[in-house]
Amino acid sequence: MRRARVGLLVAALVAAVLSSAAAQPKPVSEDTVHEVAARLRCVVCQNLSVADSPSEMAGQMRAIIRERLAAGESPDEVQRYFVQRYGEWILLSPPRRGFNLLVWLLPLVFVIAGLVVVAVLVRQWTRRPRGAAEPVAVDAAMSERIRREVERGS
Amino acid sequence: MKRLWRWLIPLAALPVLVLLAYGFRMSPRDIPSPLLQKPAPAFGLTALDGAPLALASHRGKVVVLNFWASWCYPGCYEEAPVLEKNWRAYRERGVVVLGVAIQDKREAIEKFVKDFGLTFPNAQDVTGTVSVDYGVYGVPETFFLDRQGRIRVKHVSAVTDTVFRDTVERLLAETETR
Amino acid sequence: MTADVGFGMTIVALVLALYGGVVAAVGARTGRAALVESAQHAALGVFTLVTACFALLAYAFLTFDFSIRYVASNTNLGTPFYYRITGVWGALEGSIILWAWMLALYTLILIVRHREGARELYPWALATMLGILAFFLLVMSVAAPPFQRQLPVPANGRGLNPLLEDTGMITHPVALYLGFTGFTVPFAFAMAALATGRVGDTWLVLTRRWTIVAWYFLSLGLLIGGWWSYHVLGWGGYWAWDPVENAAFMPWLTGTAFLHSVMIQERRRMLKLWNIVLVILTFGLTLFGTFLTRSGVIASVHAFTQGSIGMLFLGFLALVMLTALGLVAWRWDALRSQGNLDAVVSRESAFLLNNVLLVAAAFTVFFGTVFPLLSEAVRGVKVSVGAPFFNQVNVPLFLSLIFLMGVGPLIAWRRASLENLKRNFLWPVVLGIVAAAIAFALGVRSALAALTFATTVFVAATIAVDVVRATRARLRVGERLLPAVGGLLRRHNRRYGGFVVHLGILIIALGVTGSHAWSVQTETTLKRGESTELAGYRLRFEGLSAAEESNHFKVVGAFTVTNGRALGTLQPAKKFYPQEQAPIAYVDYRLGLKEDIYVVLGDFARDGSQATIKVQVNRLVSWIWIGGVVLTLGALLAILPDRRETA
């Protein structure tokens, strides 16, 4: 009987020591919390990140991020936890995979296409023979403009 | 034929307009849960009366897990009597209703429970960990778990009589597989 | 009684607008001046009626007439006087009245300004304006009637959305809507040009000042929106790439492109087709913006409502875009003019590049905003497209645009010789590189920040080069310094107004860069008497106090701030409005030229023993607002009547 009681006491002591050790949070930089939170969408707001949102839920989510980072998870693992619970929607930036590549690439394609169109047009327009240029009447407005440009010195 | 290419310009507007029209069929707040068919996350809270409230202790029963808040009007106010009524009707049949209040103050929660005369176990999720674990967006949201502890249905917005009965009957009818 | 009068006036206005639009169009087609005059009278009638409706609604607000549903939803007995006035446009129905009123006002101004000077185009433009006005009056009559009754009459109203109880509420919607509706006039003239086949310069020259005014108000509206977001919404930022923010930004982008490309058409008679398409796109995007705000198709901070009004707007948007672009296709031959450039390196090319980048940015914002819809339609999976995406994709575009801002005004039209390039750009390039080196020496490690800094110095230097050279030319002729500069600005006010606007944009760009690259923040829980430190600031939590206001209950935290020297007490608050489900966080801050200190109150203990706060030190944010002021001055300068204009 006595041995059992001692054993229980020891077990209790060990548990106390272990739990207090686990309760000691590993120092987590607020910057890392902020960085992870900035990737996630606040679920009760519209379009704000968890880092930015002043809502209570966002505060709780930041606390969870802090906790998980302190427990040793990497930022990516913490992010994956949230995606598992909420789906892809919770990421503020769509992951660059599959269909989502469209939103990442199409703007680039648009810019390139635009530049190509401009390049082609400029080429076309500078190739025209000089004689075909419309004669420009030099009227009062035009001479004023010329004077202005001369004044400006360009 | 070349003359017809110019009509591409107005036609180009059509796909965008169609996409926007399609948008009317969808609700931007309706987000499907990735947790369906998966085992429900375990949790251990303390009920308002002090007793422990753990999901594990209700394994083998059909669980109706309801997330609510006292400020959630009118949704939670509409569904509270529905939940209480059906809890009393089904508790002998192996169904348990559990309530978890989130983002709320203790006094307001206790007042709510008292006002509606709720007798099913209610607990407060102070840190929000349980609500995040279940991917809760807002309140009210209700999860229906089968006897094997898997999330089968996620219902967003107030639970009605019909929803409760249909879902619970369906889950009760499933044969147990140990 | 009020409700009936109001509703009656709305219907009459709608009928008048429809009548006026039809009559003006017929008058334009047949050349009968009497019809056009009748349309003018109808327009005056519409303006009077809409003004009366506005006044009636304001009166209902001021006298707490809760028998009208709109009044009951947006005010209560505790709402302060001035918010009862600004609350008139605080929600959906009022915003439509505001829009309609501005359209009516612009129509009147159009009549007064152009009925003499633009015989051919004017009637069609008038018809277009009245047609669009009729649509908004239709919305007012059918989908969002402001005078709908509330029965039984409640004893107290619900109250204004607390976030709208702010001075920004007076100015932001007004400025923004003046911008949006302002673009209707260039669009109306473009339609007139297409209808009559007179697709040359006339419609452009007529609308030049309208475009600058509309563009300016849109810019102002965006900046005030940013300021409002910064000091009220409590998240420490000024721009969230929220769908409705994007909806206002897109027409700004295409509007800016339009502002620049008209200069090519004025000088070189090119790009007729492109300019018409641009103005149609800009107007279409303003409609798209109102559609987004009101349809609930994409969730947003601003979203007013969901329902049938969205269908109405989408229908109108479809009608406008298909008709306008259809007209473009119809007049294709007249619009296709052969371009004529002398050299690749020229101002024309710079402007073309400017347009490509601006429209590409508009496309990016558009595609990113609708992509969640597309993803759900195609994949059935909801995704979010938020700030990280928009920032990443748009920053290179904007940086290139800033660079172009320096190149464009100085590079020669037609052909830029090597001599011209050297004279204009040698110093600025050198100074830009020096600036980058200085930034690096000062410890700036973000490549983007250094690049932005270098580019802004480059552009500022080009402006300086131009002003110095032009002033010197005048000084040589014997003028004294101040009159020389003054005369320069006045005589060439469009050019120098543009320069000042560019300067404003530069300052804003620096502010944006600074706030992104160098702001820091932290979140912490403090017990009473405890302190926290951030970036040299020390905040001590003194305690909480509670107070009952006329329409809300607030809890205020007191934090003494020191930064070497005492900076006073910051009092972030949490306000509890009975009609709102969650408390609203109000920030407190100290603004500075170099940085702002910014505190948000989070959770707190009931007895005031502890509080959680988010503290931010935001760098260079004030430069954004300063840049806005500079931009205003530039726009004012540019709008001044041309010294050389006759009549």
Side-chain angles (χ1 to χ4, degrees):
Chain A
M1 205 48 194
R2 206 156 173 269
R3 216 180 288 150
R5 237 188 269 159
V6 169
L8 216 59
L9 192 58
V10 171
L13 274 175
V14 169
V17 169
L18 277 180
S19 69
S20 73
Q24 289 296 351
K26 193 174 82 184
V28 173
S29 99
E30 278 300 308
D31 285 337
T32 323
V33 174
H34 188 253
E35 196 246 308
V36 176
R39 299 188 218 162
L40 301 173
R41 179 175 185 162
C42 162
V43 296
V44 294
C45 331
Q46 319 267 26
N47 258 72
L48 282 182
S49 71
V50 169
D52 288 332
S53 166
S55 70
E56 186 173 350
M57 178 115 203
Q60 287 179 339
M61 285 171 81
R62 286 196 293 269
I64 294 174
I65 295 174
R66 209 172 282 128
E67 222 175 83
R68 289 188 159 253
L69 288 172
E73 281 187 34
S74 75
D76 279 338
E77 284 171 342
V78 177
Q79 182 181 301
R80 209 173 310 138
Y81 166 72
F82 281 97
V83 174
Q84 272 168 6
R85 303 293 182 227
Y86 288 93
E88 242 176 85
W89 182 89
I90 199 165
L91 293 176
L92 266 179
S93 220
R96 291 177 221 224
R97 269 196 312 274
F99 188 72
N100 295 330
L101 280 175
L102 205 61
V103 79
W104 288 101
L105 292 181
L106 218 56
L108 186 63
V109 167
F110 194 97
V111 174
I112 297 180
L115 291 174
V116 163
V117 165
V118 166
V120 164
L121 283 176
V122 167
R123 227 356 137 56
Q124 228 175 48
W125 292 344
T126 51
R127 272 227 196 96
R128 296 203 75 235
R130 287 308 223 96
E134 7 176 330
V136 180
V138 181
D139 57 16
M142 175 59 84
S143 35
E144 183 56 85
R145 265 197 224 146
I146 296 174
R147 195 179 69 82
R148 213 194 324 149
E149 289 209 36
V150 166
E151 240 186 327
R152 215 178 300 132
S154 59
Chain B
M1 190 56 204
K2 248 199 153 200
R3 280 194 64 118
L4 293 180
W5 283 105
R6 62 185 68 180
W7 296 100
L8 269 184
I9 295 190
L11 284 179
L14 277 177
V16 176
L17 294 167
V18 166
L19 179 64
L20 294 176
Y22 181 83
F24 283 119
R25 287 155 126 262
M26 306 179 300
S27 166
R29 297 306 279 160
D30 214 358
I31 300 130
S33 169
L35 293 174
L36 292 177
Q37 309 298 335
K38 300 229 176 60
F43 61 83
L45 296 169
T46 315
L48 294 178
D49 57 12
L53 183 67
L55 183 64
S57 58
H58 298 286
R59 186 64 178 266
K61 297 200 206 125
V62 169
V63 179
V64 179
L65 180 57
N66 171 252
F67 288 89
W68 61 278
S70 66
W71 45 261
C72 133
Y73 178 85
C76 301
Y77 284 65
E78 281 168 12
E79 69 174 7
V82 171
L83 289 168
E84 176 63 22
K85 190 179 78 167
N86 284 290
W87 153 245
R88 294 193 198 175
Y90 279 92
R91 66 188 296 183
E92 307 303 319
R93 296 179 55 186
V95 175
V96 64
V97 176
L98 302 175
V100 176
I102 61 174
Q103 292 161 42
D104 214 342
K105 301 280 181 214
R106 183 72 180 217
E107 313 87 57
I109 298 172
E110 286 176 345
K111 180 171 185 302
F112 187 95
V113 170
K114 199 166 72 120
D115 287 347
F116 282 94
L118 303 178
T119 55
F120 56 85
N122 270 289
Q124 179 183 17
D125 181 13
V126 182
T127 57
T129 4
V130 180
S131 68
V132 170
D133 234 3
Y134 276 79
V136 170
Y137 284 91
V139 283
E141 281 184 16
T142 310
F143 295 81
F144 292 82
L145 317 181
D146 63 14
R147 283 196 256 248
Q148 286 81 44
R150 288 188 307 238
I151 300 178
R152 299 296 295 277
V153 171
K154 174 178 172 180
H155 183 87
V156 174
S157 80
V159 173
T160 60
D161 248 347
T162 339
V163 168
F164 192 106
R165 275 188 234 266
D166 289 348
T167 323
V168 166
E169 294 287 354
R170 185 159 52 93
L171 292 176
L172 280 174
E174 285 174 358
T175 51
E176 286 191 22
T177 42
R178 276 273 169 212
Chain C
M1 179 36 198
T2 315
D4 293 324
V5 171
F7 186 66
M9 289 200 289
T10 312
I11 298 289
V12 174
L14 169 61
V15 169
L16 270 181
L18 281 170
Y19 164 77
V22 167
V23 153
V26 171
R29 193 86 174 76
T30 58
R32 289 171 46 198
L35 288 179
V36 178
E37 265 193 52
S38 180
Q40 281 168 197
H41 294 144
L44 184 61
V46 171
F47 176 72
T48 316
L49 285 168
V50 177
T51 310
C53 283
F54 213 128
L56 199 59
L57 197 59
Y59 178 72
F61 264 76
L62 285 172
T63 56
F64 297 114
D65 187 351
F66 295 134
S67 73
I68 295 181
R69 192 170 59 137
Y70 184 63
V71 180
S73 317
N74 287 293
T75 186
N76 62 33
L77 291 168
T79 307
F81 166 74
Y82 32 90
Y83 291 134
R84 268 179 278 147
I85 298 185
T86 65
V88 174
W89 57 78
L92 174 64
E93 292 86 339
S95 73
I96 303 282
I97 284 199
L98 187 64
W99 194 294
W101 185 79
M102 285 177 179
L103 270 181
L105 180 66
Y106 275 140
T107 308
L108 276 192
I109 300 179
L110 185 151
I111 293 175
V112 168
R113 260 189 70 105
H114 294 293
R115 84 180 133 178
E116 296 304 320
R119 280 288 152 69
E120 300 276 348
L121 297 176
Y122 163 70
W124 285 110
L126 181 60
T128 313
M129 291 294 289
L130 284 169
I132 297 172
L133 192 48
F135 168 72
F136 280 92
L137 288 168
L138 179 69
V139 173
M140 254 176 77
S141 315
V142 170
F147 293 104
Q148 200 164 62
R149 281 236 176 71
Q150 173 86 354
L151 291 167
V153 180
N156 198 359
R158 193 174 169 271
L160 189 65
N161 183 336
L163 289 173
L164 301 178
E165 291 200 347
D166 180 82
T167 47
M169 191 42 204
I170 306 171
T171 40
H172 168 70
V174 173
L176 207 59
Y177 284 16
L178 280 174
F180 281 146
T181 51
F183 277 113
T184 313
V185 176
F187 173 75
F189 273 104
M191 291 297 100
L194 288 172
T196 57
R198 296 171 166 268
V199 294
D201 292 348
T202 327
W203 76 271
L204 268 188
V205 174
L206 283 174
T207 56
R208 197 211 304 152
R209 213 168 258 117
W210 285 102
T211 308
I212 299 183
V213 169
W215 179 89
Y216 169 67
F217 276 121
L218 197 52
S219 313
L220 190 65
L222 286 167
L223 284 167
I224 298 179
W227 162 244
W228 185 6
S229 170
Y230 189 60
H231 85 274
V232 171
L233 291 188
W235 61 281
Y238 44 83
W239 187 264
W241 295 106
D242 177 88
V244 171
E245 289 173 333
N246 296 347
F249 193 45
M250 285 185 277
W252 185 89
L253 287 167
T254 56
T256 309
F258 179 62
L259 253 183
H260 288 87
S261 75
V262 300
M263 291 191 227
I264 299 192
Q265 185 166 344
E266 274 182 2
R267 301 283 190 133
R268 307 299 315 281
R269 305 222 150 76
M270 300 192 298
L271 301 184
K272 287 188 245 198
L273 172 65
W274 177 241
N275 281 323
I276 287 217
V277 169
L278 256 187
V279 80
I280 292 175
L281 211 57
T282 306
F283 178 65
L285 283 170
T286 64
L287 286 181
F288 178 65
T290 66
F291 162 75
L292 263 193
T293 335
R294 289 163 184 79
S295 67
V297 163
I298 299 181
S300 151
V301 172
H302 285 70
F304 281 108
T305 188
Q306 301 181 236
S308 67
I309 192 175
M311 304 269 257
L312 214 55
F313 269 101
L314 184 59
F316 187 61
L317 178 64
L319 178 68
V320 165
M321 291 311 283
L322 292 173
T323 312
L325 292 176
L327 282 173
V328 167
W330 180 46
R331 292 287 188 200
W332 185 262
D333 294 315
L335 288 167
R336 294 293 285 129
S337 62
Q338 193 43 279
N340 183 7
L341 279 187
D342 287 16
V344 172
V345 182
S346 58
R347 193 175 301 182
E348 292 88 330
S349 302
F351 273 44
L352 285 172
L353 265 180
N354 153 301
N355 265 225
V356 168
L357 290 171
L358 280 168
V359 175
F363 173 77
T364 307
V365 174
F366 179 79
F367 198 58
T369 306
V370 300
F371 189 71
L373 260 183
L374 187 65
S375 168
E376 188 168 357
V378 169
R379 257 174 94 202
V381 174
K382 268 202 163 77
V383 294
S384 295
V385 179
F389 166 79
F390 288 110
N391 285 330
Q392 268 190 288
V393 181
N394 276 325
V395 162
L397 290 174
F398 291 150
L399 205 51
S400 315
L401 276 166
I402 295 178
F403 176 72
L404 273 181
M405 246 175 26
V407 171
L410 258 56
I411 199 170
W413 285 105
R414 291 187 169 267
R415 180 193 301 276
S417 63
L418 205 57
E419 172 65 37
N420 164 263
L421 289 176
K422 224 173 35 167
R423 260 176 95 237
N424 287 314
F425 297 111
L426 187 59
W427 268 114
V429 168
V430 165
L431 283 174
I433 297 179
V434 166
I438 294 179
F440 196 71
L442 285 178
V444 173
R445 285 297 170 267
S446 152
L448 196 58
L451 193 59
T452 313
F453 186 52
T455 315
T456 32
V457 167
F458 165 75
V459 177
T462 60
I463 298 179
V465 160
D466 183 283
V467 173
V468 163
R469 195 180 303 139
T471 312
R472 260 213 224 127
R474 283 175 167 253
L475 289 177
R476 247 181 264 132
V477 191
E479 268 188 285
R480 312 221 354 211
L481 182 61
L482 274 178
V485 175
L488 191 67
L489 295 181
R490 185 63 191 85
R491 188 159 199 125
H492 307 289
N493 62 306
R494 264 183 81 192
R495 180 181 176 83
Y496 289 97
F499 274 146
V500 176
V501 168
H502 284 179
L503 215 64
I505 301 275
L506 286 181
I507 301 174
I508 293 175
L510 281 175
V512 170
T513 311
S515 77
H516 274 277
W518 299 314
S519 295
V520 289
Q521 50 75 52
T522 186
E523 187 171 22
T524 179
T525 308
L526 296 174
K527 294 208 188 21
R528 207 197 322 249
E530 267 191 320
S531 298
T532 183
E533 278 197 31
L534 182 67
Y537 290 87
R538 189 189 197 91
L539 283 91
R540 199 168 74 145
F541 177 38
E542 304 297 344
L544 296 174
S545 62
E548 185 85 43
E549 302 286 327
S550 69
N551 57 345
H552 63 269
F553 173 76
K554 71 176 180 193
V555 173
V556 185
F559 297 84
T560 42
V561 183
T562 52
N563 176 17
R565 41 179 231 288
L567 288 174
T569 313
L570 286 179
Q571 301 183 299
K574 262 209 149 103
K575 295 194 186 174
F576 300 81
Y577 287 80
Q579 75 269 28
E580 299 297 321
Q581 289 179 344
I584 311 226
Y586 278 81
V587 311
D588 201 4
Y589 45 82
R590 286 282 177 276
L591 298 181
L593 201 55
K594 200 174 54 133
E595 60 198 15
D596 309 331
I597 172 112
Y598 190 98
V599 181
V600 186
L601 181 64
D603 231 349
F604 53 86
R606 267 309 177 79
D607 57 0
S609 60
Q610 74 173 27
T612 308
I613 52 168
K614 196 152 81 108
V615 188
Q616 282 183 316
V617 175
N618 299 319
R619 301 253 156 74
L620 298 190
V621 175
S622 298
W623 290 38
I624 299 177
W625 324 126
I626 295 174
V629 173
V630 174
L631 197 141
T632 304
L633 296 174
L636 283 173
L637 185 58
I639 295 179
L640 288 179
D642 222 346
R643 260 305 181 74
R644 293 177 328 277
E645 243 172 33
T646 46

